[in-house]
mmCIF file of all heavy atoms in Angstrom:
data_model
loop_
_atom_site.group_PDB
_atom_site.id
_atom_site.type_symbol
_atom_site.label_atom_id
_atom_site.label_comp_id
_atom_site.label_asym_id
_atom_site.label_seq_id
_atom_site.Cartn_x
_atom_site.Cartn_y
_atom_site.Cartn_z
ATOM 1 N N TYR A 13 7.468 11.577 -0.346
ATOM 2 C CA TYR A 13 7.420 12.827 0.414
ATOM 3 C C TYR A 13 8.660 12.831 1.278
ATOM 4 O O TYR A 13 8.750 12.033 2.207
ATOM 5 C CB TYR A 13 6.169 12.903 1.282
ATOM 6 C CG TYR A 13 4.884 13.022 0.490
ATOM 7 C CD1 TYR A 13 4.026 11.933 0.360
ATOM 8 C CD2 TYR A 13 4.534 14.219 -0.123
ATOM 9 C CE1 TYR A 13 2.846 12.034 -0.365
ATOM 10 C CE2 TYR A 13 3.366 14.331 -0.855
ATOM 11 C CZ TYR A 13 2.523 13.235 -0.965
ATOM 12 O OH TYR A 13 1.367 13.345 -1.680
ATOM 13 N N VAL A 16 10.217 9.509 2.559
ATOM 14 C CA VAL A 16 9.196 8.456 2.657
ATOM 15 C C VAL A 16 8.535 8.226 1.299
ATOM 16 O O VAL A 16 7.863 9.100 0.760
ATOM 17 C CB VAL A 16 8.105 8.828 3.695
ATOM 18 C CG1 VAL A 16 7.088 7.702 3.831
ATOM 19 C CG2 VAL A 16 8.733 9.151 5.037
ATOM 20 N N VAL A 18 5.754 6.726 -0.971
ATOM 21 C CA VAL A 18 4.380 6.212 -0.779
ATOM 22 C C VAL A 18 3.845 5.491 -2.022
ATOM 23 O O VAL A 18 2.915 4.706 -1.922
ATOM 24 C CB VAL A 18 3.393 7.309 -0.320
ATOM 25 C CG1 VAL A 18 3.774 7.834 1.042
ATOM 26 C CG2 VAL A 18 3.276 8.436 -1.309
ATOM 27 N N LEU A 19 4.433 5.748 -3.201
ATOM 28 C CA LEU A 19 4.102 4.958 -4.393
ATOM 29 C C LEU A 19 5.395 4.324 -4.875
ATOM 30 O O LEU A 19 6.370 5.015 -5.139
ATOM 31 C CB LEU A 19 3.499 5.849 -5.495
ATOM 32 C CG LEU A 19 2.179 6.560 -5.187
ATOM 33 C CD1 LEU A 19 1.788 7.474 -6.355
ATOM 34 C CD2 LEU A 19 1.054 5.562 -4.887
ATOM 35 N N GLY A 36 -8.685 0.369 -2.491
ATOM 36 C CA GLY A 36 -7.697 -0.140 -1.542
ATOM 37 C C GLY A 36 -7.980 0.473 -0.189
ATOM 38 O O GLY A 36 -8.747 1.437 -0.084
ATOM 39 N N PRO A 37 -7.354 -0.060 0.858
ATOM 40 C CA PRO A 37 -7.612 0.453 2.199
ATOM 41 C C PRO A 37 -7.114 1.886 2.361
ATOM 42 O O PRO A 37 -6.293 2.360 1.573
ATOM 43 C CB PRO A 37 -6.848 -0.506 3.107
ATOM 44 C CG PRO A 37 -5.867 -1.200 2.233
ATOM 45 C CD PRO A 37 -6.404 -1.179 0.851
ATOM 46 N N SER A 38 -7.606 2.549 3.373
ATOM 47 C CA SER A 38 -7.207 3.918 3.668
ATOM 48 C C SER A 38 -5.688 4.001 3.826
ATOM 49 O O SER A 38 -5.076 3.134 4.451
ATOM 50 C CB SER A 38 -7.912 4.354 4.955
ATOM 51 O OG SER A 38 -7.514 5.640 5.281
ATOM 52 N N GLY A 39 -5.083 4.997 3.204
ATOM 53 C CA GLY A 39 -3.642 5.201 3.343
ATOM 54 C C GLY A 39 -2.792 4.422 2.356
ATOM 55 O O GLY A 39 -1.567 4.488 2.410
ATOM 56 N N CYS A 40 -3.413 3.692 1.417
ATOM 57 C CA CYS A 40 -2.622 2.856 0.502
ATOM 58 C C CYS A 40 -2.038 3.653 -0.663
ATOM 59 O O CYS A 40 -1.238 3.131 -1.431
ATOM 60 C CB CYS A 40 -3.448 1.683 -0.016
ATOM 61 S SG CYS A 40 -4.740 2.152 -1.172
ATOM 62 N N GLY A 41 -2.478 4.920 -0.822
ATOM 63 C CA GLY A 41 -1.884 5.752 -1.867
ATOM 64 C C GLY A 41 -2.815 6.106 -3.027
ATOM 65 O O GLY A 41 -2.359 6.639 -4.044
ATOM 66 N N LYS A 42 -4.106 5.846 -2.873
ATOM 67 C CA LYS A 42 -5.065 6.110 -3.955
ATOM 68 C C LYS A 42 -5.098 7.586 -4.333
ATOM 69 O O LYS A 42 -4.956 7.941 -5.501
ATOM 70 C CB LYS A 42 -6.493 5.675 -3.543
ATOM 71 C CG LYS A 42 -6.616 4.235 -3.119
ATOM 72 C CD LYS A 42 -8.046 3.899 -2.710
ATOM 73 C CE LYS A 42 -8.559 4.631 -1.470
ATOM 74 N NZ LYS A 42 -7.875 4.248 -0.221
ATOM 75 N N SER A 43 -5.302 8.446 -3.321
ATOM 76 C CA SER A 43 -5.378 9.887 -3.610
ATOM 77 C C SER A 43 -4.061 10.402 -4.149
ATOM 78 O O SER A 43 -4.037 11.226 -5.062
ATOM 79 C CB SER A 43 -5.749 10.664 -2.346
ATOM 80 O OG SER A 43 -7.039 10.308 -1.919
ATOM 81 N N THR A 44 -2.965 9.924 -3.593
ATOM 82 C CA THR A 44 -1.651 10.360 -4.059
ATOM 83 C C THR A 44 -1.492 10.020 -5.539
ATOM 84 O O THR A 44 -1.056 10.852 -6.334
ATOM 85 C CB THR A 44 -0.532 9.694 -3.232
ATOM 86 O OG1 THR A 44 -0.769 9.995 -1.851
ATOM 87 C CG2 THR A 44 0.841 10.192 -3.637
ATOM 88 N N LEU A 45 -1.874 8.812 -5.924
ATOM 89 C CA LEU A 45 -1.746 8.400 -7.316
ATOM 90 C C LEU A 45 -2.611 9.285 -8.216
ATOM 91 O O LEU A 45 -2.182 9.709 -9.293
ATOM 92 C CB LEU A 45 -2.136 6.920 -7.456
ATOM 93 C CG LEU A 45 -1.939 6.302 -8.844
ATOM 94 C CD1 LEU A 45 -0.514 6.472 -9.334
ATOM 95 C CD2 LEU A 45 -2.309 4.816 -8.817
ATOM 96 N N GLU A 53 0.674 16.891 -7.758
ATOM 97 C CA GLU A 53 1.891 16.486 -7.042
ATOM 98 C C GLU A 53 2.947 16.152 -8.091
ATOM 99 O O GLU A 53 2.620 15.586 -9.130
ATOM 100 C CB GLU A 53 1.645 15.202 -6.223
ATOM 101 C CG GLU A 53 0.549 15.294 -5.194
ATOM 102 C CD GLU A 53 0.999 15.965 -3.912
ATOM 103 O OE1 GLU A 53 2.214 16.280 -3.793
ATOM 104 O OE2 GLU A 53 0.141 16.167 -3.049
ATOM 105 N N ASP A 159 -12.160 11.652 -6.756
ATOM 106 C CA ASP A 159 -11.588 11.140 -5.501
ATOM 107 C C ASP A 159 -12.690 11.000 -4.457
ATOM 108 O O ASP A 159 -13.105 11.984 -3.851
ATOM 109 C CB ASP A 159 -10.469 12.045 -4.989
ATOM 110 C CG ASP A 159 -9.657 11.368 -3.881
ATOM 111 O OD1 ASP A 159 -10.035 10.249 -3.462
ATOM 112 O OD2 ASP A 159 -8.648 11.941 -3.447
ATOM 113 N N GLU A 160 -13.158 9.792 -4.255
ATOM 114 C CA GLU A 160 -14.212 9.477 -3.285
ATOM 115 C C GLU A 160 -15.353 10.501 -3.321
ATOM 116 O O GLU A 160 -15.687 11.078 -2.279
ATOM 117 C CB GLU A 160 -13.622 9.386 -1.867
ATOM 118 C CG GLU A 160 -12.364 8.525 -1.816
ATOM 119 C CD GLU A 160 -12.355 7.503 -0.699
ATOM 120 O OE1 GLU A 160 -13.407 7.266 -0.088
ATOM 121 O OE2 GLU A 160 -11.274 6.932 -0.461
ATOM 122 N N VAL A 192 -11.561 6.974 -7.575
ATOM 123 C CA VAL A 192 -10.939 6.418 -6.367
ATOM 124 C C VAL A 192 -11.993 6.167 -5.298
ATOM 125 O O VAL A 192 -12.860 7.009 -5.066
ATOM 126 C CB VAL A 192 -9.892 7.406 -5.805
ATOM 127 C CG1 VAL A 192 -9.584 7.109 -4.343
ATOM 128 C CG2 VAL A 192 -8.616 7.358 -6.615
ATOM 129 N N LEU A 209 -5.057 -1.496 -4.970
ATOM 130 C CA LEU A 209 -3.800 -0.956 -4.447
ATOM 131 C C LEU A 209 -3.620 -1.378 -2.994
ATOM 132 O O LEU A 209 -4.599 -1.503 -2.248
ATOM 133 C CB LEU A 209 -3.810 0.575 -4.523
ATOM 134 C CG LEU A 209 -3.773 1.198 -5.919
ATOM 135 C CD1 LEU A 209 -4.087 2.682 -5.833
ATOM 136 C CD2 LEU A 209 -2.408 0.993 -6.558
HETATM 137 N N1 ADP B 1 1.532 15.681 1.673
HETATM 138 C C1 ADP B 1 1.951 14.556 2.253
HETATM 139 N N2 ADP B 1 3.094 14.509 2.971
HETATM 140 C C2 ADP B 1 3.522 13.371 3.543
HETATM 141 N N3 ADP B 1 2.889 12.179 3.457
HETATM 142 C C3 ADP B 1 1.737 12.146 2.750
HETATM 143 C C4 ADP B 1 1.202 13.323 2.123
HETATM 144 N N4 ADP B 1 0.058 12.972 1.494
HETATM 145 C C5 ADP B 1 -0.116 11.646 1.742
HETATM 146 N N5 ADP B 1 0.892 11.154 2.494
HETATM 147 C C6 ADP B 1 1.033 9.762 2.934
HETATM 148 O O1 ADP B 1 0.964 8.921 1.812
HETATM 149 C C7 ADP B 1 0.242 7.737 2.089
HETATM 150 C C8 ADP B 1 -0.891 7.579 1.109
HETATM 151 O O2 ADP B 1 -1.870 8.557 1.356
HETATM 152 P P1 ADP B 1 -3.147 8.736 0.435
HETATM 153 O O3 ADP B 1 -2.738 8.739 -0.997
HETATM 154 O O4 ADP B 1 -3.912 9.921 0.930
HETATM 155 O O5 ADP B 1 -3.961 7.391 0.749
HETATM 156 P P2 ADP B 1 -5.474 7.007 0.405
HETATM 157 O O6 ADP B 1 -6.047 8.051 -0.501
HETATM 158 O O7 ADP B 1 -5.369 5.660 -0.244
HETATM 159 O O8 ADP B 1 -6.190 6.920 1.707
HETATM 160 C C9 ADP B 1 -0.213 7.848 3.539
HETATM 161 O O9 ADP B 1 0.679 7.120 4.332
HETATM 162 C C10 ADP B 1 -0.127 9.331 3.818
HETATM 163 O O10 ADP B 1 0.156 9.560 5.171
#
Side-chain angles (χ1 to χ4, degrees):
Y13 292 105
V16 183
V18 296
L19 298 176
S38 178
C40 71
K42 304 179 295 293
S43 296
T44 304
L45 185 55
E53 301 279 355
D159 193 355
E160 312 228 13
V192 160
L209 292 168

